[in-house]
Amino acid sequence: MSLFEQSLPELHNKLHAKELSVSDLVDQAYQNIGAHDDKVKAYLALDEEQARARARQLDDRLVSGEEKGLLFGLPVGIKDNIVTNGLRTTCGSQFLCNFDPVYDATVVEKLKAADTVTIGKLNMDEFAMGGSNENSSFSPVRNPWALDRVPGGSSGGSAAAVAAGEAYFTLGSDTGGSIRQPASYCGVVGLKPTYGLVSRFGLVAFASSLDQIGPLTKNVEDSAYVLQAIAGYDAKDSTSAKVEIPDYLSGLTGDVKGLRIAVPKEYIGEGVDPQVKETVLSALKVLEGLGATWEEVSLPHTEYAVATYYLLASSEASSNLARFDGVRYGVRADNPDNLLDLYHQSRSQGFGPEVKRRIMLGTYALSSGYYDAYYLKAQKVRTLIKQDFDNVFAKYDVIIGPTAPTTAFKLGSQVDDPLTMYLNDILTIPVNLAGVPAVSIPCGFSDGLPVGLQIIGKAFDETTVLRVAHAFEQNTEFHKQRPQL
């Protein structure tokens, strides 16, 4: 069995039994990257020298019998908007093409404390703005299942690396579906935790009230394993939640008898590909067979979610990206006439077209005379969307539907149509607006391309979300399918 077909707990146990070394795992990762990444383009930077040195250090600890962390010896890829001390962090943007951070994000610190090995930084849409990974200013990522298709975005590199066997697990960030949609397109598991469960300190901000870091893995057990290591309160993040962290692994019982599932009619209606809908309905039958029940419900404000999201996210992006001015870090324009010209030229040269589009939209929405009409109204609609979820969760345990309305589309097919591109996130955006957790898991195929099943839970109830996902996974084989590169 390939190392990449084994779960993280299996690899962990083999390391402890000395059937494997950490260097073996790191060697295999770099071999696969060397074999496939010229086609997939999942990585923007590799940290091979440091990774091999770290592996040797951990191998010495294996021999000495020292205490070991939860993810001991397991190699990980990090999305390139999560800062890593001394390892270039570009956010997929020319603006940060020379930026080497001087500290680690909290999640990176936690992974290091759990004894992981960082393989490299993963490609992404510039500043996490996009749903196809075509907005990376370095190169688009390609879907390992079909190299002429997108992997999804903005965590396309994170999902493609797991699908292609170039990483044992990865971290991504999710602002409006940027973990779950690429997980769906690439046939892997992508978890967006509850807002505030995982620290955002060291995540380069896109939309601060929506961004959340989470894992992309081969299966649900691995996702629970990684979440156990990265969840928890962080005083350096003012939005971090002080909640007790349960044992996520012990919650994977496979028991869903009596589980009440809500299926929003808006998630399986107009705009959802018929084959995707059929695949999701088949997945619901599997859960029915395990003792769960489901009913159709309504989330009536879903139709306003995309407009609400793009007003709020763009407004926050406009504010957050004001720090990129060509003065403190990042690229600086040559020979400006004055300070204002320095700002203008640096931003014109550093930001790509999608980032500029969202900055302009957000600045407009926040401007005098338009704030009440756009931004304030969007915040009120966000509250209504959150209330929709609260009303459904008063009667049901989870909400289930497709992760994305279609399978992965062809590279270049929507790049000149931003509105169509934005609508690809219509089923994931409401989850971020409500701040609740959700996971995408493979549930079938349509014309040879993966389809994702989205399981949404109550705030801080990742245990139930993972339990349902794991129960489905244990009774199907979809998560075991791998692309043939």
Side-chain angles (χ1 to χ4, degrees):
M1 184 188 290
S2 161
L3 292 177
F4 282 91
E5 291 175 12
Q6 299 177 53
S7 71
L8 297 184
E10 286 172 337
L11 294 172
H12 190 72
N13 291 337
K14 288 188 175 182
L15 285 168
H16 279 262
K18 299 184 177 61
E19 296 173 26
L20 275 176
S21 71
V22 179
S23 295
D24 291 335
L25 296 178
V26 171
D27 287 345
Q28 189 63 62
Y30 284 119
Q31 282 179 29
N32 285 15
I33 291 168
H36 303 313
D37 207 51
D38 60 333
K39 299 187 286 280
V40 178
K41 305 289 187 187
Y43 282 89
L44 289 176
L46 296 174
D47 198 22
E48 189 164 356
E49 184 179 343
Q50 290 298 319
R52 292 191 184 280
R54 170 84 164 160
R56 290 191 295 270
Q57 180 188 55
L58 293 174
D59 282 334
D60 289 341
R61 286 176 55 190
L62 267 180
V63 174
S64 67
E66 288 180 46
E67 187 176 338
K68 302 168 186 68
L70 178 66
L71 300 173
F72 181 88
L74 298 173
V76 55
I78 308 289
K79 187 176 178 180
D80 205 31
N81 60 345
I82 300 171
V83 301
T84 42
N85 189 1
L87 179 58
R88 185 147 296 177
T89 301
T90 70
C91 293
S93 177
Q94 293 299 325
F95 211 120
L96 291 177
C97 65
N98 62 357
F99 177 54
D100 297 318
V102 294
Y103 69 97
D104 281 324
T106 296
V107 287
V108 175
E109 286 183 351
K110 288 190 172 221
L111 288 179
K112 285 183 176 178
D115 293 327
T116 61
V117 180
T118 299
I119 292 292
K121 302 303 288 293
L122 292 155
N123 205 344
M124 57 179 284
D125 284 303
E126 185 180 6
F127 285 103
M129 297 181 192
S132 68
N133 235 131
E134 293 169 288
N135 291 330
S136 167
S137 70
F138 297 99
S139 70
V141 181
R142 295 178 180 271
N143 192 319
W145 288 92
L147 293 172
D148 64 340
R149 304 269 173 166
V150 303
S154 61
S155 304
S158 299
V162 174
E166 296 182 15
Y168 297 89
F169 72 100
T170 61
L171 290 187
S173 67
D174 193 310
T175 307
S178 290
I179 287 173
R180 290 159 290 147
Q181 186 235 34
S184 175
Y185 285 179
C186 292
V188 299
V189 174
L191 173 67
K192 185 209 86 76
T194 306
Y195 182 80
L197 182 68
V198 177
S199 172
R200 292 185 303 109
F201 180 77
L203 173 69
V204 179
F206 162 17
S208 302
S209 73
L210 300 162
D211 299 339
Q212 187 60 78
I213 296 171
L216 291 108
T217 59
K218 299 184 293 290
N219 58 58
V220 175
E221 185 182 26
D222 287 3
S223 193
Y225 212 60
V226 178
L227 183 63
Q228 198 73 56
I230 64 173
Y233 175 71
D234 178 17
K236 290 180 284 189
D237 174 6
S238 62
T239 60
S240 182
K242 286 185 177 179
V243 293
E244 188 175 336
I245 305 302
D247 184 345
Y248 295 114
L249 283 164
S250 68
L252 304 180
T253 62
D255 180 15
V256 292
K257 285 179 183 174
L259 186 89
R260 298 163 301 170
I261 300 170
V263 180
K265 63 182 182 181
E266 294 83 2
Y267 285 27
I268 53 172
E270 185 181 353
V272 176
D273 181 272
Q275 288 191 49
V276 170
K277 178 179 176 179
E278 283 305 310
T279 304
V280 168
L281 292 175
S282 297
L284 287 166
K285 288 178 183 175
V286 172
L287 292 169
E288 269 190 308
L290 296 173
T293 59
W294 69 273
E295 292 178 351
E296 193 172 281
V297 299
S298 178
L299 295 172
H301 295 95
T302 299
E303 64 179 299
Y304 307 113
V306 173
T308 300
Y309 170 84
Y310 278 98
L311 277 167
L312 296 179
S314 297
S315 296
E316 293 183 25
S318 168
S319 175
N320 280 323
L321 269 62
R323 72 193 69 182
F324 299 101
D325 53 14
V327 176
R328 288 161 288 189
Y329 43 75
V331 298
R332 175 182 295 193
D334 295 327
N335 305 314
D337 294 335
N338 51 47
L339 184 61
L340 289 179
D341 191 46
L342 171 66
Y343 295 163
H344 175 244
Q345 285 197 44
S346 297
R347 289 167 175 164
S348 295
Q349 295 167 21
F351 290 141
E354 181 61 28
V355 175
K356 291 174 183 174
R357 181 185 291 123
R358 298 200 195 191
I359 289 173
M360 287 191 287
L361 175 62
T363 303
Y364 178 79
L366 292 174
S367 61
S368 177
Y370 296 99
Y371 178 90
D372 288 353
Y374 293 107
Y375 182 77
L376 189 61
K377 186 171 286 186
Q379 288 286 27
K380 291 177 179 178
V381 177
R382 180 180 188 171
T383 300
L384 295 176
I385 291 168
K386 172 71 165 63
Q387 287 174 355
D388 285 350
F389 280 93
D390 291 343
N391 292 337
V392 170
F393 283 132
K395 300 177 183 176
Y396 300 91
D397 300 304
V398 292
I399 296 169
I400 289 182
T403 306
T406 66
T407 54
F409 49 90
K410 288 196 171 183
L411 283 155
S413 64
Q414 298 182 13
V415 74
D416 295 321
D417 187 359
L419 186 57
T420 299
M421 185 82 80
Y422 294 168
L423 289 171
N424 289 314
D425 296 332
I426 193 166
L427 305 178
T428 52
I429 279 172
V431 174
N432 296 78
L433 292 170
V436 294
V439 68
S440 177
I441 59 172
C443 70
F445 293 85
S446 173
D447 296 326
L449 295 170
V451 175
L453 182 74
Q454 183 173 211
I455 302 167
I456 307 165
K458 301 170 185 175
F460 301 107
D461 192 14
E462 278 77 4
T463 301
T464 299
V465 170
L466 291 168
R467 176 166 58 89
V468 177
H470 184 255
F472 175 81
E473 192 180 80
Q474 293 304 297
N475 288 274
T476 56
E477 298 288 315
F478 304 119
H479 66 288
K480 296 180 180 179
Q481 303 296 313
R482 297 284 179 265
Q484 301 300 311
L485 278 163

